[in-house]
Amino acid sequence: MIPPAFAYHAPRSVGEAISLLSSLGDDAKLLAGGHSLLPMMKLRFAQPGALIDINRIPELRGIREEGGLIRIGAMTTESELIVSPLLQGRVPLLPEAAQLIADPQVRNRGTIGGDIAHGDPGNDHPAIAMALEATFVLQGPGGERRVLAVDFFHGTYMTELAENEILTAILVKPFESGTGYAYQKLKRKTGDWATAGAAVVMRMSGGVVTEARIGLTNVAPTALRARAAEAALVGQPVNDATLAAVGEAVRAVCDPAEDLRGDADYKTAMAAEMTQRAVRAAAARCH
């Protein structure tokens, strides 16, 4: 189908984009990669009166280290995450996980900020950001504010982002030496969303887990931080008994919607399985 007519704006700065958002109100939508918004417009599920294309704003791109954190511009593409030497060396979970997102054509256009700001529980970066304890930088007419990833998602397609704010950057701490990490994702085919997925970041000492963070993809109205599963892991060796306890804790927190990828019971079971696989893979990297 063809979308209804709309106005098109291409600001060259964050300030100009925020001014447009403020003046146009809820009739306007930001255009980042466009992989979620444009199909909805073609189906007329979304009918914005104006699009604000933020692809020409250079300050929204790039990956750099500042103040002890890695700052990733919200308009950085998945392909740029994958090839970044800084991320490969300091936060290797991100480039590794990005290779499981969609396909090369989509990764060349799709952005980390668009994936997060859309608020879709099936997107990968929300759960990964929770496991990384990431902070999101939001900018609006009143200036800049920072929101933890775990506090950003309120429901399906509902986030902390106000109508006149832009997600400008994602901040993550570099991994300490010896950190284990993994993202395990069950999908029906290349390019598909996850049936269920789990991101794990952990540390071990003396044969037991000393720190663990687990984010879950597509098993609830939002991405989840699986704190009970983390608690079942910390202080324990990574063995069958511990993994069984982790899996039980994951199953208890899941509330997936039934869809073509599976019913609620299947998705819940797969969330536990993906978490257990991710814990094993992460533990093998701890040293």
Side-chain angles (χ1 to χ4, degrees):
M1 291 181 64
I2 299 173
F6 56 87
Y8 175 81
H9 304 272
R12 299 302 178 115
S13 69
V14 171
E16 185 182 352
I18 291 170
S19 294
L20 284 166
L21 276 175
S22 300
S23 62
L24 295 171
D26 59 8
D27 197 38
K29 295 292 183 183
L30 292 176
L31 176 64
H35 292 106
S36 297
L37 178 59
L38 295 182
M40 292 177 71
M41 290 175 62
K42 288 180 179 179
L43 293 171
R44 304 206 175 194
F45 293 151
Q47 300 186 37
L51 290 185
I52 302 172
D53 186 345
I54 55 176
N55 280 275
R56 295 173 177 82
I57 303 177
E59 61 199 282
L60 292 179
R61 295 189 180 276
I63 304 166
R64 64 183 186 272
E65 189 166 4
E66 62 179 33
L69 297 173
I70 307 297
R71 183 184 180 97
I72 305 166
M75 289 297 292
T76 301
T77 67
E78 306 291 352
S79 293
E80 289 167 338
L81 298 179
I82 292 169
V83 301
S84 166
L86 181 58
L87 292 181
Q88 290 170 358
R90 307 302 300 278
V91 194
L93 174 60
L94 271 173
E96 181 174 293
Q99 295 182 65
L100 301 177
I101 296 174
D103 54 51
Q105 286 181 310
V106 171
R107 292 195 292 266
N108 285 337
R109 176 75 179 177
T111 64
I112 183 173
D115 186 285
I116 290 167
H118 189 51
D120 188 332
N123 285 353
D124 298 272
H125 280 294
I128 296 166
M130 289 181 181
L132 292 172
E133 290 191 324
T135 298
F136 302 150
V137 182
L138 315 182
Q139 189 170 334
E144 184 178 286
R145 64 188 179 111
R146 299 185 177 189
V147 178
L148 296 175
V150 292
D151 298 326
F152 183 75
F153 304 98
H154 298 324
T156 303
Y157 307 125
M158 295 185 291
T159 71
E160 179 68 17
L161 197 64
E163 290 181 351
N164 59 358
E165 285 184 318
I166 294 175
L167 171 63
T168 59
I170 296 90
L171 307 177
V172 295
K173 295 179 182 178
F175 284 174
E176 297 179 34
S177 177
T179 298
Y181 59 93
Y183 185 53
Q184 292 287 323
K185 173 181 179 179
L186 177 65
K187 54 185 178 178
R188 300 174 301 173
K189 59 184 177 62
T190 298
D192 195 15
W193 281 273
T195 300
V200 172
V201 176
M202 58 186 281
R203 294 179 58 78
M204 298 183 71
S205 179
V208 301
V209 178
T210 57
E211 180 183 349
R213 301 191 297 274
I214 301 172
L216 302 177
T217 297
N218 210 21
V219 292
T222 71
L224 294 178
R225 176 84 182 263
R227 295 191 185 276
E230 296 169 359
L233 192 54
V234 172
Q236 303 297 324
V238 177
N239 56 27
D240 290 346
T242 299
L243 290 171
V246 168
E248 185 61 30
V250 167
R251 284 189 287 271
V253 77
C254 289
D255 182 24
E258 181 174 341
D259 59 23
L260 295 176
R261 295 172 185 84
D263 60 23
D265 289 343
Y266 177 70
K267 286 183 161 185
T268 297
M270 290 304 98
E273 176 65 26
M274 293 302 106
T275 304
Q276 291 166 338
R277 293 185 187 186
V279 168
R280 289 191 192 99
R285 286 170 159 161
C286 292
H287 55 79

